[in-house]
Amino acid sequence: MTSGVDVNDLLERAFSSYVKACLRHAQKDYFEKLMRDSAYVVPLDAVTFEIDINFLNSSPQHTAA
């Protein structure tokens, strides 16, 4: 028959395995979300460049008289 120490050891191993599996799934989910969200992210330089271009195109043209 198994002793209390063996049961505790088995329980500890089972819990440790469960925690490792949960962490693997959480890591996978995190990186999947990160990759999905990065498709919607635009670098700040591109936004600034587009704003500058739009501003210049919408400015009234000053001509010398």
Side-chain angles (χ1 to χ4, degrees):
M1 187 150 186
T2 60
S3 68
V5 174
D6 292 336
V7 172
N8 286 340
D9 187 43
L10 291 174
L11 185 62
E12 182 179 345
R13 287 183 187 181
F15 182 73
S16 177
S17 177
Y18 170 75
V19 169
K20 286 178 185 177
C22 288
L23 289 175
R24 272 194 307 270
H25 288 292
Q27 181 181 16
K28 180 182 169 222
D29 293 343
Y30 171 77
F31 284 110
E32 284 178 357
K33 183 181 183 309
L34 185 65
M35 294 302 291
R36 185 174 58 242
D37 290 347
S38 69
Y40 300 106
V41 175
V42 178
L44 185 57
D45 292 342
V47 172
T48 304
F49 179 72
E50 185 176 334
I51 289 171
D52 289 343
I53 294 292
N54 290 336
F55 177 74
L56 291 175
N57 288 337
S58 66
S59 300
Q61 297 295 330
H62 297 291
T63 56

